[in-house]
Amino acid sequence: SAEQPAWHARCAHIAHALPCTPVDRPCPQCGSGVTTAAEGSVSKDACLVPAGWGLTSFNPMVAAPCEKDSYGQEVDRVAVSNARCIACPTNMFTLDTLENRTRNSTEWYTSEAACLVKPGWGATSTTPQECPLGTFNEGKNRLPCQQCETGFTTVDVGKNSSAQCVVQAGWQMAADGIPAPCDKGSYSTGGTELAPNATCDACDAGYSTQVDESTAAADCTVCAAGYGGDGCAQCTYGFFSSGGALVGDDCSACAVGSTSKRGATHSQQCYSTLIDARNDVFNPAND
């Protein structure tokens, strides 16, 4: 083969080498942190920014690893002015930031996949969001917030563990270890992170709630079954109440000729009064 010119031998591929022209001079560098793909490059266009790196200056040409919430490309790219590190989307971070440390020498951020959410946040189809009530995410990932199990919620937004899920207001931890809703006549303010389980508390005597799953004593606004009138007093003889009456609404009277025990809860508990013996139509022999 033809003899190579003297300059060629000095243009062997070395890191940061700028292509040489056929004159007897050293090969100039592409720039700090910039390389070429092979030996014997003949054009400045052969200068490449390494994968996971980005230009910090174009003249002079300087490249550095992408870090602190930025990323480069997965492959080497031509060292043009826009071959810079790309910022992570809003509210997404690289691991060096999330772990409050320096990027290690084998850690390269080469795509947007290196951008992660912080603990207590979740990824969405648009932008990350802080996990709302009833959800959590441990973070350092690109996952959506996960829902607490049925009957559980969180006491605040931005939670990062299922251990922070507590029994929701209006529910209690049942004997079988599974949350269950409070029945009418009781309420629950829910659990706390210090005491995640909860119990249903009964309304004061004579009072009830209008619905299941009530969350506060203030929901005890109606009279319980068998109670009525001012102060939700127990219905007296000959009266009944099926419950749900507003405080002050009297118990209903049994039909004429019938009565009931105290605290009757429906009309079926009204029974005929005794018939005067002188008017008894039944033969005593049949009694």
Side-chain angles (χ1 to χ4, degrees):
S1 60
E3 183 178 354
Q4 299 291 340
W7 62 267
H8 185 277
R10 293 195 298 275
C11 287
H13 171 65
I14 58 174
H16 321 312
L18 186 73
C20 295
T21 55
V23 293
D24 192 12
R25 64 178 177 82
C27 298
Q29 290 185 333
C30 286
S32 176
V34 185
T35 187
T36 55
E39 298 178 356
S41 300
V42 297
S43 168
K44 186 177 181 179
D45 293 340
C47 296
L48 302 173
V49 176
W53 290 50
L55 290 179
T56 59
S57 172
F58 187 65
N59 188 18
M61 194 175 291
V62 179
C66 297
E67 56 188 2
K68 296 299 178 186
D69 314 326
S70 66
Y71 61 94
Q73 299 294 323
E74 295 181 353
V75 296
D76 297 348
R77 50 183 166 157
V78 177
V80 293
S81 60
N82 64 351
R84 301 179 182 273
C85 295
I86 304 168
C88 286
T90 302
N91 292 320
M92 300 194 81
F93 312 89
T94 48
L95 273 177
D96 54 349
T97 294
L98 290 173
E99 297 178 351
N100 194 27
R101 59 172 174 79
T102 301
R103 181 191 59 82
N104 65 55
S105 59
T106 60
E107 188 177 22
W108 305 107
Y109 304 140
T110 59
S111 73
E112 189 180 314
C115 300
L116 312 173
V117 295
K118 62 185 177 182
W121 285 62
T124 69
S125 58
T126 53
T127 58
Q129 67 169 6
E130 190 172 22
C131 292
L133 286 174
T135 67
F136 63 92
N137 184 23
E138 65 182 359
K140 300 182 184 180
N141 55 39
R142 295 173 64 87
L143 300 174
C145 299
Q146 301 179 61
Q147 194 77 34
C148 292
E149 294 183 0
T150 301
F152 289 92
T153 188
T154 56
V155 298
D156 203 353
V157 299
K159 297 303 180 180
N160 59 38
S161 169
S162 61
Q164 294 172 310
C165 294
V166 303
V167 175
Q168 70 184 54
W171 289 56
Q172 69 173 348
M173 183 62 72
D176 58 4
I178 300 175
C182 297
D183 295 328
K184 285 183 181 180
S186 65
Y187 62 92
S188 164
T189 57
T192 67
E193 289 189 5
L194 292 178
N197 297 334
T199 58
C200 298
D201 295 316
C203 294
D204 290 341
Y207 289 86
S208 183
T209 59
Q210 298 189 54
V211 294
D212 296 338
E213 299 183 42
S214 294
T215 61
D219 295 328
C220 299
T221 57
V222 297
C223 294
Y227 293 80
D230 293 334
C232 290
Q234 188 179 48
C235 297
T236 190
Y237 297 110
F239 291 83
F240 67 92
S241 168
S242 57
L246 296 177
V247 176
D249 288 351
D250 293 331
C251 299
S252 300
C254 292
V256 175
S258 63
T259 190
S260 66
K261 64 179 182 179
R262 290 172 56 88
T265 58
H266 49 79
S267 61
Q268 285 85 348
Q269 291 178 323
C270 294
Y271 302 98
S272 296
T273 55
L274 293 175
I275 299 173
D276 189 293
R278 292 170 297 178
N279 299 322
D280 193 344
V281 297
F282 295 101
N283 188 319
N286 295 328
D287 287 351

